[in-house]
Amino acid sequence: MNNAPKAVRLLCLASWGAILAVIGLGFFGCALETEETRLRPALESLAAADLAADTRILASDEFEGRGLASEGEVKTINFLRDEFRKLGLEPGNGESFFQEIPMVLNTVDPAARLDIKGGKKPLSFTYKEEFVARTLRAVEESELADSEMIFAGYGIVAPEYGWNDYQDLDVRGKTVVVLVNDPGFATQDPALFSGRTMTYYGRWTYKYEEAARQGAAGVFIVHETEPAAYPWGVVQNSWTGPQFNLASEDNNMSRCAAEGWIHLEAARPIFAAAGLDYDTIKTTAAKRGFKAVPLGLKASLTLKNEIKKVTSHNVIARLRGSERPDECVIYMSHWDHFGKNPALEGDQIFNGAVDNATGTAALIELAEAFKALKRPPDRSIVFLAVTGEEQGLIGSGYYAEHPVFPAVKTAAVINMDALNVSGPMKDITVVGYGLSELDGYIEAAAKEAGRTVNPDPTPEKGSYFRSDHFPFAKQGIPAVYPSGGIDSVEHGREWTLARAEKYVAEMYHKPSDEFDPGWDLSGAIDDLRLLLKVGYRLAMETAFPNWKEGTPYKAKRDADLAALPK
Ligand SMILES: [Zn+2]
């Protein structure tokens, strides 16, 4: 505790300076030492063994894969609340550590078939093997009945890039088939969209939002592993079984009756039935001036939904700031994963150890580290464990739209999702690097650790839109997602990238993402020390960081900051 007025504190510093000068450090040494000395107990409290212990608990079978609104959720959020409480943190939402989130749980009957007529012979596709579909509408039955099919290229309306796949097209009541990612990625042409970097227009979420705005009844994305950034197995696992959506007042009736994906090998015969070669039409779709093509086919599909209203929870804890407690820095991780699937043979539990028991455990470790400081930082530090990330950023989206701490007084959000389990790295990758003034803080802390900062090495995967910082960016709050590195100190770059690829192919969103006592978490601890410094410095300032010029998120931040009383 330190409530001494500033002048007294300065005096204390000066006398410390004098003492240190005597032992040979000199006054400037002392001034440099100050932050370091203050941070030392926090930095030292971060330990790989602790991180491993909490990760092991969160990823244990007992926590049942941390599924939403399940016994696993109860165990997870209570565990987090108890840990935060033990550390002496305050509830982050008034009297409560929880923020309730109303959701609809929607389970599609897997007997659904996609039938397509109009070609030489009728085509029929099997749910899960050849296509997946859902509707966000909270209705028990949703259908496409002989809905005319149109190939709408990339399904993008982007005036700033001079692109409109829906130009002069009336798709009301029809079913659009679209490609994943965007023409920039397809052509690798830096003059198209953002070249190799995926724009938000490339994300499946966008494709469905746009199709709904256009009034389409159905929308299917052709799955291809490279532009989607993940194999069909990921689509199968994350799209079948119970799906959670945010409850809305209109029961999401403004969304399409069916939203789905089609396996590439199922899409080819559909195009062939329309007299088209898929690869040829795909190339054409990436060229400026492409015009949508009616396929002359009709799609029918009945989705039988089991609908259930459920409540899930974000967990919020706060270390109250010493000077300006109403301002904050948020550390965030999603606690949820896919729960369990009793239909699977063998292992039925999606333990989500890397994704994201590691990040959730890191929240506890960081909370403990900040508590080890003699005096909390000037601004509050908020630890936010959000729900429903795997279901489409539901918890973070809800918080961003119903913030407990006002957006304008939130200095920054630091998101953690899937920590590095491969040991020390020469670098740190920051998804969202180059977008906001948070860059400078990360660069400084990285430099002190002798590390370099990378932008996202695979921006074509659209990672910036795929984790929980994105809803905060939409609200103007500077948000980054530092995610390990790609250049192992011991094994180099190729080894690290190969490991990451192996994880995506074999474990990502699969029951095999399990805790492994053989992990080297020392690199994750390096990252947490770096992030602790970043958050601490942001919490010791009076300025509010902003987005850089030319980013789509800056206008909202500017407006918020301009409205702040001077
Ligand atoms: Zn994750």
Side-chain angles (χ1 to χ4, degrees):
M1 173 150 152
N2 187 340
N3 292 323
K6 218 166 198 172
V8 178
R9 288 213 308 272
L10 281 175
L11 240 164
C12 296
L13 276 178
S15 54
W16 268 107
I19 292 162
L20 290 172
V22 169
I23 58 170
L25 273 172
F27 184 75
F28 286 103
C30 165
L32 279 173
E33 288 284 305
T34 312
E35 188 201 63
E36 214 177 301
T37 318
R38 267 190 265 146
L39 282 179
R40 191 170 297 144
L43 295 170
E44 282 175 358
S45 98
L46 290 165
D50 293 356
L51 184 65
D54 286 333
T55 303
R56 187 195 279 266
I57 293 171
L58 288 159
S60 65
D61 284 356
E62 199 196 326
F63 280 64
E64 298 182 359
R66 303 184 306 282
L68 272 54
S70 70
E71 206 36 50
E73 161 157 2
V74 176
K75 282 185 180 152
T76 306
I77 66 174
N78 286 346
F79 174 73
L80 289 168
R81 177 199 59 200
D82 295 347
E83 290 301 306
F84 288 138
R85 208 181 250 160
K86 264 191 259 167
L87 288 169
L89 265 59
E90 293 179 11
N93 188 17
E95 299 287 295
S96 176
F97 281 94
F98 302 141
Q99 181 181 38
E100 289 189 358
I101 307 190
M103 294 189 192
V104 176
L105 176 59
N106 178 337
T107 312
V108 170
D109 181 346
R113 292 197 73 83
L114 173 63
D115 293 306
I116 295 178
K117 283 190 306 208
K120 280 200 185 104
K121 52 178 194 219
L123 300 169
S124 183
F125 298 100
T126 310
Y127 181 80
K128 191 167 179 180
E129 297 312 315
E130 296 170 300
F131 81 100
V132 294
R134 66 167 191 200
T135 181
L136 289 188
R137 296 180 180 178
V139 292
E140 282 174 1
E141 198 169 295
S142 185
E143 67 166 9
L144 302 174
D146 284 329
S147 169
E148 252 178 70
M149 296 180 81
I150 296 184
F151 174 57
Y154 282 88
I156 294 173
V157 180
E160 70 275 37
Y161 295 118
W163 198 279
N164 187 351
D165 286 317
Y166 287 98
Q167 184 92 51
D168 305 322
L169 202 60
D170 180 1
V171 298
R172 276 173 297 176
K174 298 175 187 166
T175 293
V176 293
V177 178
V178 297
L179 302 170
V180 68
N181 215 317
D182 65 36
F185 175 83
T187 55
Q188 305 281 305
D189 177 356
L192 273 183
F193 288 75
S194 279
R196 191 169 169 74
T197 300
M198 188 196 276
T199 61
Y200 184 57
Y201 299 110
R203 285 286 290 154
W204 57 266
T205 45
Y206 168 79
K207 313 275 182 191
Y208 299 147
E209 287 160 9
E210 189 58 51
R213 277 192 288 272
Q214 300 289 335
V219 48
F220 286 92
I221 302 172
V222 178
H223 176 267
E224 286 201 58
T225 301
E226 210 203 340
Y230 38 76
W232 180 251
V234 171
V235 176
Q236 285 181 311
N237 274 340
S238 39
W239 276 72
T240 56
Q243 304 283 311
F244 293 88
N245 303 302
L246 198 58
S248 81
E249 286 192 357
D250 76 340
N251 279 334
N252 291 324
M253 292 310 284
S254 56
R255 297 293 296 234
C256 295
E259 305 176 342
W261 290 86
I262 300 180
H263 192 289
L264 175 60
E265 296 314 322
R268 289 187 191 280
I270 298 176
F271 281 85
L276 297 166
D277 173 61
Y278 173 73
D279 294 304
T280 311
I281 194 80
K282 184 174 87 169
T283 311
T284 315
K287 290 188 182 137
R288 217 169 257 297
F290 165 79
K291 288 246 174 309
V293 184
L295 295 177
L297 304 171
K298 287 180 173 177
S300 295
L301 168 70
T302 303
L303 296 173
K304 291 208 164 79
N305 289 317
E306 198 189 295
I307 302 280
K308 209 167 118 190
K309 302 225 159 164
V310 295
T311 303
S312 188
H313 304 81
N314 288 337
V315 184
I316 316 173
R318 162 160 82 156
L319 174 65
R320 183 176 281 270
S322 298
E323 294 286 333
R324 293 181 304 283
D326 57 326
E327 299 175 5
C328 72
V329 172
I330 298 179
Y331 288 96
M332 171 172 56
S333 301
H334 72 87
W335 62 254
D336 68 299
H337 201 56
F338 289 104
K340 53 182 186 180
N341 181 357
L344 289 184
E345 278 184 38
D347 191 355
Q348 302 180 330
I349 301 177
F350 291 81
N351 302 77
V354 168
D355 180 14
N356 186 24
T358 54
T360 309
L363 281 182
I364 301 169
E365 294 317 305
L366 281 171
E368 188 178 7
F370 272 99
K371 272 306 273 191
L373 294 169
K374 275 213 185 71
R375 177 176 186 272
D378 292 351
R379 287 173 167 155
S380 292
I381 306 288
V382 172
F383 302 91
L384 174 59
V386 292
T387 181
E389 192 267 357
E390 306 289 13
Q391 311 289 334
L393 317 183
I394 301 179
S396 53
Y398 187 86
Y399 179 97
E401 281 176 21
H402 306 85
V404 177
F405 303 95
V408 65
K409 294 205 167 177
T410 302
V413 173
I414 299 169
N415 183 37
M416 299 178 291
D417 191 352
L419 300 193
N420 158 29
V421 297
S422 305
M425 298 287 155
K426 288 183 208 157
D427 55 353
I428 181 160
T429 297
V430 178
V431 176
Y433 188 56
L435 299 181
S436 79
E437 290 166 1
L438 300 181
D439 287 0
Y441 296 83
I442 295 169
E443 283 160 5
K447 198 170 170 208
E448 289 158 22
R451 298 170 71 188
T452 54
V453 183
N454 293 325
D456 180 0
T458 52
E460 69 278 10
K461 295 189 177 181
S463 308
Y464 197 72
F465 317 113
R466 285 172 59 184
S467 193
D468 291 309
H469 49 278
F470 183 54
F472 288 83
K474 279 193 190 159
Q475 298 297 326
I477 303 169
V480 282
Y481 167 25
S483 72
I486 53 166
D487 194 357
S488 159
V489 170
E490 206 181 323
H491 307 281
R493 215 182 142 90
E494 268 170 41
W495 177 87
T496 320
L497 292 174
R499 258 177 84 92
E501 246 172 61
K502 191 173 150 70
Y503 171 76
V504 171
E506 293 171 14
M507 281 171 262
Y508 177 64
H509 289 188
K510 297 202 173 105
S512 49
D513 183 0
E514 301 218 43
F515 179 79
D516 178 352
W519 286 342
D520 180 352
L521 289 171
S522 61
I525 295 298
D526 290 345
D527 291 348
L528 294 183
R529 290 192 172 131
L530 189 156
L531 297 182
L532 181 131
K533 281 187 176 179
V534 169
Y536 178 81
R537 286 167 186 168
L538 285 161
M540 292 301 285
E541 286 185 352
T542 52
F544 286 95
N546 202 332
W547 296 91
K548 290 186 180 167
E549 221 48 74
T551 53
Y553 321 111
K554 188 169 186 292
K556 172 73 167 66
R557 186 68 159 180
D558 283 345
D560 280 359
L561 291 175
L564 264 187
K566 291 282 164 331

